[in-house]
């Protein structure tokens, strides 16, 4: 089973503040992803990356930046957190974009 | 309409019962992934299929790209099967996963 970890597991942030969510995987996967899940809904792709030092926009990138400093690490950055960004955020990784994605445990973010 | 629809939105089963969950998609998809989200919110990958049928213990999933649906069948339901089941599909024109809105399963003693 692929090992994907996220930190923090939960966070309370203030509107307008900066938030950084971290993801780490130990399986040499090239692809990493950030999704958000809103209560009662499925997941939507925010950003993804297929190689270190490069990131790509997903379906809902507005208000988010991503950083892939190494193959193992992928961060999601909210420069100016807003109330609408309250959600659960999942990181995932996969060998390639045709393969099974393995998910981290999620980070619950509350923006006040 | 939504590109990925799951039915039913909610389902209750008694322990030992069986049932099927369905995922319909509006265009040709090249793969489907099924997840269980447990009571702690953790997403557990159940299956990934590019075609045909896969089975794992009490779970079985089929993917019919031509007819545009996938199913997840649960037999001998257990309490720990409770949770929300999501399907996510990869369209032929893109590799990105598109998630359905989930089926909330409650298994009762």
């Amino acid at each position: 089973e692929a090992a994907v970890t996220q930190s923090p597991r939960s966070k309370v942030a203030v509107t307008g503040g900066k938030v950084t969510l971290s993801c780490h995987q130990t399986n040499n996967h090239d692809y990493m992803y950030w999704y958000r899940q809103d209560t009662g809904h499925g997941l939507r792709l925010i950003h993804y990356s297929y190689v270190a030092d490069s990131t790509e926009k997903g379906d809902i990138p507005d208000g988010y930046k991503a950083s892939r400093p190494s193959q193992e690490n992928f961060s999601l950055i909210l420069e100016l957190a807003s109330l609408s960004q309250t959600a659960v955020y999942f990181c995932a990784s996969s060998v390639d974009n045709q393969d099974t994605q393995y998910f981290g445990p999620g980070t619950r973010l509350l923006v006040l | 309409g939504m590109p990925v629809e799951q039915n039913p939105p909610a389902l209750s089963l008694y322990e030992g019962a069986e049932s099927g969950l369905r995922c319909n998609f509006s265009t040709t998809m090249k793969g489907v992934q099924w997840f269980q989200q447990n009571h702690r919110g953790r997403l557990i990958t159940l299956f990934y299929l590019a075609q045909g049928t896969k089975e794992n213990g009490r779970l079985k999933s089929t993917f019919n790209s031509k007819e545009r649906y996938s199913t997840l069948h649960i037999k001998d339901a257990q309490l720990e099967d409770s949770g929300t089941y999501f399907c996510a599909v990869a369209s032929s024109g893109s590799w990105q996963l598109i998630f359905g809105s989930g089926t909330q399963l409650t298994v009762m003693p």
Side-chain angles (χ1 to χ4, degrees), chain B residues 21-49:
Chain B
L21 284 60
R22 188 165 174 114
C23 177
N24 296 311
F25 26 94
S26 55
T27 60
T28 302
M29 302 293 183
K30 60 186 178 186
V32 64
Q33 193 164 348
W34 283 93
F35 303 88
Q36 179 200 21
Q37 187 168 36
N38 64 18
H39 68 282
R40 294 181 179 176
R42 181 72 190 250
L43 278 170
I44 302 164
T45 299
L46 300 175
F47 295 103
Y48 177 80
L49 299 93

Side-chain angles (χ1 to χ4, degrees), chain B residues 44-107:
Chain B
I44 302 164
T45 299
L46 300 175
F47 295 103
Y48 177 80
L49 299 93
Q51 62 179 6
T53 299
K54 286 187 178 180
E55 199 163 350
N56 184 6
R58 298 180 292 103
L59 301 179
K60 179 179 175 181
S61 182
T62 60
F63 176 53
N64 188 321
S65 178
K66 183 178 180 181
E67 300 295 324
R68 302 179 184 175
Y69 74 88
S70 176
T71 61
L72 177 68
H73 192 83
I74 302 172
K75 62 181 180 182
D76 187 24
Q78 302 297 305
L79 295 177
E80 61 264 28
D81 294 334
S82 294
T84 302
Y85 289 78
F86 290 98
C87 68
V89 295
S91 69
S92 296
S94 169
W95 58 266
Q96 292 183 12
L97 287 181
I98 305 169
F99 283 76
S101 54
T103 292
Q104 188 169 353
L105 173 66
T106 303
V107 180

Side-chain angles (χ1 to χ4, degrees), chain A residues 24-77:
Chain A
H24 180 78
Q25 54 98 359
T26 59
N27 289 277
N28 294 317
H29 286 176
D30 286 331
Y31 280 76
M32 295 187 75
Y33 316 82
W34 276 106
Y35 294 88
R36 68 175 278 173
Q37 184 182 29
D38 296 284
T39 304
H41 293 83
L43 281 71
R44 292 180 292 168
L45 182 65
I46 306 170
H47 285 288
Y48 68 97
S49 168
Y50 54 84
V51 67
D53 295 322
S54 178
T55 64
E56 306 292 333
K57 294 180 179 179
D59 296 326
I60 53 164
D62 293 345
Y64 302 94
K65 292 183 180 179
S67 172
R68 182 92 181 269
S70 64
Q71 187 193 40
E72 298 81 14
N73 296 294
F74 191 36
S75 297
L76 185 68
I77 303 151

